[in-house]
Amino acid sequence: MNLLINFITSTLMKVLLVTFGDINDPTNGYLIRVSTIYKCLSKEHDVTVIQFVNSKISSDNSNKKIINVEIGKNYLSYAVKIISKSISSIKLIKSHDKVVVEGSIFLPFIITAKLLRKIVIYDTHGSIVEVSKGLKGIKNFIFRRVIGGVLDSISTKLSDVVITVSEDDAQIFRKYTRNKQKVVVVRHAVDVENIPFYEVPHERVRKVIFVGNLHSVQNYEAVKIILKVAERVKDIEFIIVGDGRELFKDYPPNVKFLGKVPSLHEYYREADVCFIPLTTGTGVKTKVLECMAYGRPVITTMKGIEGLNNVEKLDGIYLISHAEDIDEYVRLMNSLVLNKQYYNLRKYIVEKHSINSVCKSLLLLV
């Protein structure tokens, strides 16, 4: 508690936020969280953003507080650009009171900031090692289990405050440090005020939706399961929204890959349920929160509700105990009788995962 009190301040501070991706175009769970954090911090502090992007984006010349750094599409390019930018940003880091880093990939910024005696707040976004446990292959072992584990560990040890998305994740990161109190929970949030609530169109499942960037390994693995289920229940339409549809060439005719769309509203309105068969990943899943905010029942796994307190007790949350059991998914979809409304799901999000509640927690730390 003393640690938290030390971080409370009533004066305007200069905060440097280091992230990956365009915070003005939050297209995945990572960026939705970062965008929320940016908005929260900007309410009370002077925030500058360094954002590493895969390709050139149109910059807002009126906003000098967002610095875009274009990087390549491989790990070596990431490392070189991040290290070089952390060094070239010494003057910028010196001019700020605190540095917030969005992930352990930005360890060079943590090291530079600590050498300059700045306070560092490390937002973990989940354990890289935990993600690796649901995957196979030597590449996964080297990059996630070994390198990712080292990055997580050192980043935790060096940072003044470590933010996790759930108490489950907090327990993982507390193992990396003797100072257990510096690891705190700031939950994921969704912008409930801008998400409409819809009644469920049908009593039986006719259309399901999955939303996510398919280049992310956890989403890619989930879609592989969705395609297997779709082959078995041909009278149900499966809508998959998000970048990466080119990764899947052969799939049943009742599956539609829509790619990235400007708005999700109409697709959630037409869907009866969200189907999120996650087998790997870590932290709270934004896509699950989003579905609940729209009032959509969710078919998912224990991994899908990880970090959500008592959500499994809610009407409209349907859990599959064995994440890769295709027969179990098929039986549930064929037998499920749906309610017209699931306002209890939205109420859960409003009370526990609204932006206002997250801002209050965050501003106590910065």
Side-chain angles (χ1 to χ4, degrees):
M1 183 58 69
N2 289 335
L3 176 69
L4 300 186
I5 294 174
N6 289 336
F7 280 86
I8 298 175
T9 177
S10 59
T11 59
L12 178 71
M13 290 187 302
K14 296 186 71 176
V15 178
L16 179 63
L17 177 67
V18 185
T19 184
F20 180 83
D22 184 6
I23 61 170
N24 291 315
D25 185 25
T27 55
N28 55 47
Y30 172 92
L31 278 174
I32 289 173
R33 179 174 175 84
V34 176
S35 179
T36 298
I37 288 174
Y38 171 69
K39 291 174 184 176
C40 291
L41 293 177
S42 297
K43 289 181 178 181
E44 295 192 9
H45 303 299
D46 180 12
V47 183
T48 300
V49 179
I50 298 177
Q51 55 182 28
F52 291 80
V53 293
N54 276 326
S55 57
K56 191 172 184 178
I57 61 176
S58 57
S59 59
D60 181 0
N61 293 327
S62 65
N63 191 350
K64 304 297 184 182
K65 293 291 186 177
I66 296 182
I67 302 167
N68 295 316
V69 181
E70 189 175 349
I71 59 177
K73 296 186 177 181
N74 59 68
Y75 291 117
L76 180 60
S77 171
Y78 290 177
V80 171
K81 280 293 180 73
I82 290 171
I83 292 171
S84 63
K85 188 62 180 178
S86 69
I87 296 172
S88 65
S89 299
I90 287 177
K91 186 176 180 180
L92 181 64
I93 295 172
K94 275 185 177 180
S95 68
H96 285 73
D97 300 297
K98 296 178 182 179
V99 178
V100 179
V101 295
E102 296 294 339
S104 60
I105 191 173
F106 298 113
L107 176 60
F109 277 89
I110 296 176
I111 294 172
T112 303
K114 292 308 297 178
L115 289 173
L116 295 172
R117 300 182 182 278
K118 297 298 177 180
I119 293 173
V120 175
I121 300 166
Y122 162 42
D123 188 12
T124 64
H125 289 268
S127 165
I128 300 175
V129 173
E130 286 300 303
V131 173
S132 75
K133 291 180 179 179
L135 303 169
K136 299 177 181 179
I138 187 66
K139 184 178 178 181
N140 168 66
F141 179 81
I142 293 173
F143 284 101
R144 291 191 177 90
R145 187 71 64 92
V146 178
I147 298 177
V150 170
L151 290 175
D152 281 353
S153 176
I154 298 175
S155 297
T156 300
K157 287 179 172 66
L158 292 180
S159 299
D160 297 280
V161 175
V162 178
I163 298 174
T164 65
V165 300
S166 70
E167 186 57 38
D168 290 342
D169 269 15
Q171 294 298 333
I172 294 171
F173 283 89
R174 285 176 185 136
K175 295 176 182 177
Y176 294 138
T177 177
R178 293 181 179 179
N179 184 0
K180 311 298 183 186
Q181 287 188 326
K182 75 176 183 179
V183 182
V184 296
V185 176
V186 175
R187 294 170 175 166
H188 267 336
V190 291
D191 191 1
V192 185
E193 292 183 0
N194 290 313
I195 294 178
F197 175 81
Y198 297 125
E199 292 186 343
V200 177
H202 304 103
E203 187 179 43
R204 306 303 291 262
V205 179
R206 292 290 173 261
K207 181 181 288 190
V208 305
I209 186 171
F210 176 89
V211 177
N213 186 330
L214 308 187
H215 292 286
S216 296
V217 63
Q218 61 268 29
N219 294 331
Y220 179 82
E221 294 296 321
V223 170
K224 286 165 61 176
I225 291 177
I226 291 173
L227 298 186
K228 291 178 181 179
V229 174
E231 290 177 350
R232 299 273 301 277
V233 282
K234 300 184 184 299
D235 58 337
I236 295 177
E237 186 177 12
F238 294 79
I239 304 298
I240 300 173
V241 182
D243 287 334
R245 59 182 176 180
E246 70 279 0
L247 300 175
F248 297 90
K249 303 299 182 184
D250 298 316
Y251 47 87
N254 55 329
V255 176
K256 291 185 179 179
F257 286 90
L258 301 183
K260 184 179 177 181
V261 298
S263 173
L264 293 169
H265 293 348
E266 66 174 289
Y267 302 104
Y268 275 112
R269 184 180 67 245
E270 295 173 355
D272 299 304
V273 300
C274 294
F275 183 27
I276 309 175
L278 295 173
T279 60
T280 186
T282 184
V284 174
K285 313 306 182 295
T286 305
K287 58 175 61 64
V288 174
L289 303 181
E290 194 171 65
C291 287
M292 294 170 66
Y294 276 104
R296 285 296 165 267
V298 182
I299 298 174
T300 188
T301 61
M302 291 303 296
K303 182 61 70 173
I305 63 164
E306 190 175 67
L308 298 178
N309 295 332
N310 297 319
V311 74
E312 70 278 3
K313 298 178 182 179
L314 296 177
D315 183 27
I317 301 297
Y318 302 99
L319 293 181
I320 299 299
S321 54
H322 301 289
E324 298 186 47
D325 188 340
I326 305 302
D327 290 337
E328 198 171 348
Y329 290 119
V330 171
R331 280 194 296 270
L332 178 60
M333 287 196 180
N334 284 332
S335 62
L336 199 56
V337 178
L338 302 170
N339 298 331
K340 194 70 174 175
Q341 292 187 343
Y342 288 91
Y343 196 79
N344 62 312
L345 299 181
R346 184 180 178 90
K347 182 181 178 182
Y348 179 94
I349 301 302
V350 170
E351 292 177 352
K352 298 180 181 294
H353 294 277
S354 67
I355 288 180
N356 286 338
S357 65
V358 169
C359 282
K360 289 178 183 178
S361 300
L362 181 66
L363 289 171
L364 287 176
L365 302 174
V366 180

